[in-house]
Amino acid sequence: MTKRARDNLELRFADIASVNPRTSLNGLDGDSPVAFVPMSDIDVNGRWVTRQTRLLREVKTGYSPFADGDILFAKITPCTENGKGCHAQDLPNGVGFGSTEFHVLRAKKGVLSRLVFHLAQSTDVRWKAAAVMDGSAGQQRVPADFFKICRIAPDILDNQEAKCDLFDAVDVAIDATRGVIEQTRRLKSAVLQDLLTHGLPGRHSEFREIKGLGQVPQAWTLSSLKRLTTKITDGVHASVKTVDQGVPFLYVSCVRDGRVRWDDATCITTNTYAAISRGREPVCGGVLYTAVGSYGHAAVLEDDRIFSFQRHIAYLVPDETKLDSNFLVTWLNSERGRRQADRVALGNAQKTITLGELNAWQIPLPSQDEQEEIVAVVRAIDKRVKVESDRLQSLNKVKVALSQALLTGRVQVPSMKEVAV
């Protein structure tokens, strides 16, 4: 297709890629290994994270066939919105089979499959697809005809290599940053395990074994949370009416990764807050701990903001003369703390850590100076994670902006030949 023709034609996605095309098995027999891709093997970043093979006879029926270079596009909610899909490359025998919840896209002649992949992964295309889903709630799917109506920029095929190189470069940077974050988190886990077992390096030479808790320095004391806190309570037990604006109200899902996710909170009126907050007014340095359902997540309150919370969240106020709030959260969020929670959680469908169990918890306690130094080590690692997480967020924003600008034709990318000229 010439540029002039494209300039006079409103392109649709189906003009550059065949949708669910026939796939030749290239004369393979039933015992030939082929790629196998269930939805669980694809992540929300367009990566094929776990590679499997199956014998052709095991997957020839009941699965969607595809060929080397094809693009898999998740068609069921919420996988569509989340960005599940991949560029299927380096397939054994050039053939693969995947979940029937994938649409298969194959680049047409003169179109780079990489371009089709980046276009399919773009936020713009994904949300357009989500808008036309059909089916029952929770089982809605993107119809194949979506690609016949999805408009794309008429000049999408100009300088394909340059566009793909740019997207590939951003993807490489995103993957590298994710790798750094994962490595740093593994480092934190290893360092924390060592600190809670041996204390600060060079500080201790004698150790003891505590049943259910493992090894700790001999100099550390052992005390219950009841003795180390001035308050242990939980949130409001009655149901509350929420409003669009007002005082934040937290659910279990709002306490994750050592912090409070205020953006996930709902709101209650100031009158409701006044009625339910007596005895559980939050203070800076207090600790929230999820105790029901998704139990075992702790966070320190870093300011005096007013808020309330549901009964599934426990609220602890450490005695600052004995226990550093951040050390307590470090302990509760550590592998040891989580194992301790697993041992005492009651119930089946919705496990619960009772306030009685929390009061009785035994905490190996360093001196206050050592508590603060251990927290400082952990914070330094957390700071590195935050820096890389912020970088990852910025890179993802860059990718979204590129998708909207380049793939809609608002910004042109010169080819290397044009740059050389």
Side-chain angles (χ1 to χ4, degrees), residues 22 30 43 65 99 104 115 134 160-161 183 234 241 344 400:
R22 294 178 63 87
D43 73 6
S99 167
V104 177
L115 184 67
D134 54 27
Q160 294 180 58
E161 286 280 1
Q183 290 173 3
D234 56 7
K241 182 179 179 180
V344 302
V400 170

Side-chain angles (χ1 to χ4, degrees), residues 59-81:
V59 295
K60 189 175 181 179
T61 59
Y63 296 97
S64 298
F66 54 89
D68 207 297
D70 286 350
I71 289 81
L72 303 185
F73 182 97
K75 63 184 178 182
I76 190 169
T77 189
C79 299
T80 300
E81 300 93 323

Side-chain angles (χ1 to χ4, degrees), residues 219-293:
W220 288 12
T221 60
L222 191 66
S223 189
S224 68
L225 274 178
K226 183 176 181 179
R227 292 178 178 273
L228 297 173
T229 58
T230 60
K231 178 181 292 186
I232 297 181
T233 187
D234 56 7
V236 60
H237 285 232
S239 60
V240 296
K241 182 179 179 180
T242 61
V243 294
D244 292 336
Q245 293 184 331
V247 177
F249 186 83
L250 304 181
Y251 295 95
V252 166
S253 59
C254 298
V255 183
R256 286 291 185 279
D257 305 320
R259 63 185 181 87
V260 179
R261 296 180 176 178
W262 296 106
D263 290 344
D264 294 340
T266 186
C267 293
I268 55 176
T269 66
T270 54
N271 288 337
T272 299
Y273 171 76
I276 67 176
S277 64
R278 188 174 295 109
R280 52 176 67 91
E281 298 90 348
V283 296
C284 182
V287 172
L288 298 180
Y289 183 73
T290 61
V292 180

